């Protein structure tokens, strides 16, 4: 094997770019783990509150709790972490905060396709760098608790609460395990 000066120069020139790519990949892995941690904290904060609300006042009461608490949790996590934290859905309940942008819509549609192909929502996630931001989404599957308010048929009390808190609600008709939406996070890369 013959090593030429041009080969050596080429390696010297390309080495920093290669090292930069490796660092970027490591950074993406770190950001993904950080995003997963934030999602767990969001769910770990909201779910017990909803369970308590159902126990103390029924599913209709949980709607009032969720309508005020979920946005506060998202904002608090955003403030604490420096990430933009949100929840989005193709069938939004809150039309002020849950309508996906074009990238989120594409990922949600891919999640639905992946689920149709047999993948479980439980571990479904996707992240990439878009326009200088690391964007991450984690699918949110329907659990038994969710069906109180997101099933095709709900109690009259839940129906009334949904009309009161979410007059433009479209987040209905789900079944157990189906993807209801996703946690959506972004941060400068």
């Amino acid at each position: 094997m013959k090593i030429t000066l041009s080969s050596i120069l080429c390696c010297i020139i390309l080495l920093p770019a290669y090292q930069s790519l490796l660092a970027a990949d490591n950074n993406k892995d770190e950001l993904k783990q950080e995003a997963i941690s934030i999602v767990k904290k969001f769910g770990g904060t909201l779910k017990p509150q909803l369970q308590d609300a159902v126990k103390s006042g029924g599913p209709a009461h949980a709607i009032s709790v969720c309508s005020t608490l979920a946005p506060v949790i998202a904002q608090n996590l955003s403030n604490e972490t420096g990430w933009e934290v949100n929840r989005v859905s193709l069938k939004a309940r809150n039309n002020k905060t849950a309508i996906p942008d074009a990238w989120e819509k594409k990922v949600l549609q891919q999640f639905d396709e992946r689920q149709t192909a047999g993948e479980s929502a439980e571990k479904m996630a996707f992240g990439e760098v878009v326009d200088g931001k690391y964007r991450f989404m984690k699918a949110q599957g329907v659990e038994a608790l969710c069906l109180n308010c997101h099933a095709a048929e709900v109690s009259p009390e839940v129906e009334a609460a949904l009309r009161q808190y979410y007059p433009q609600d479209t987040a209905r008709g789900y079944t157990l395990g189906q993807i209801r939406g996703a946690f959506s996070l972004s941060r400068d890369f």
Side-chain angles (χ1 to χ4, degrees):
M1 180 171 144
K2 186 176 178 183
I3 299 176
T4 64
L5 181 59
S6 62
S7 297
I8 294 170
L9 288 174
C10 185
C11 288
I12 292 171
I13 291 169
L14 293 177
L15 184 60
Y18 177 72
Q19 289 172 326
S20 178
L21 285 173
L22 286 177
D25 280 345
N26 287 339
N27 194 23
K28 283 191 270 186
D29 288 342
E30 289 172 15
L31 290 171
K32 179 180 178 180
Q33 291 308 311
E34 193 176 327
I36 290 170
S37 174
I38 293 167
V39 167
K40 287 179 180 178
K41 190 170 184 181
F42 194 130
T45 304
L46 181 59
K47 187 176 177 179
Q49 296 287 338
L50 293 177
Q51 290 170 325
D52 289 346
V54 169
K55 286 178 188 171
S56 68
H61 177 60
I63 291 168
S64 69
V65 169
C66 190
S67 72
T68 56
L69 188 59
V72 170
I73 293 169
Q75 187 59 56
N76 287 344
L77 286 171
S78 294
N79 293 342
E80 288 173 23
T81 65
W83 288 75
E84 292 177 40
V85 180
N86 199 14
R87 293 184 309 160
V88 295
S89 178
L90 294 173
K91 293 174 21 175
R93 173 144 288 170
N94 185 334
N95 68 343
K96 293 178 184 161
T97 62
I99 303 293
D101 64 22
W103 182 84
E104 291 166 328
K105 184 176 181 179
K106 179 184 81 170
V107 174
L108 285 166
Q109 290 167 335
Q110 290 171 352
F111 283 173
D112 283 346
E113 290 168 10
R114 289 166 60 182
Q115 189 170 50
T116 299
E119 190 174 344
S120 168
E122 187 176 310
K123 296 188 180 191
M124 199 178 300
F126 179 76
E128 70 178 342
V129 177
V130 179
D131 297 329
K133 288 186 178 271
Y134 179 74
R135 300 200 65 185
F136 177 83
M137 288 180 63
K138 167 73 179 84
Q140 190 173 14
V142 174
E143 298 180 25
L145 175 67
C146 307
L147 292 174
N148 287 312
C149 306
H150 289 281
E153 294 184 28
V154 296
S155 72
E157 296 82 19
V158 167
E159 191 73 53
L162 289 172
R163 278 194 304 274
Q164 178 183 352
Y165 291 98
Y166 302 107
Q168 297 176 337
D169 172 45
T170 61
R172 299 276 293 281
Y174 291 105
T175 58
L176 194 63
Q178 190 175 14
I179 296 171
R180 184 170 59 79
F183 295 94
S184 179
L185 290 78
S186 65
R187 181 176 184 162
D188 288 337
F189 185 70

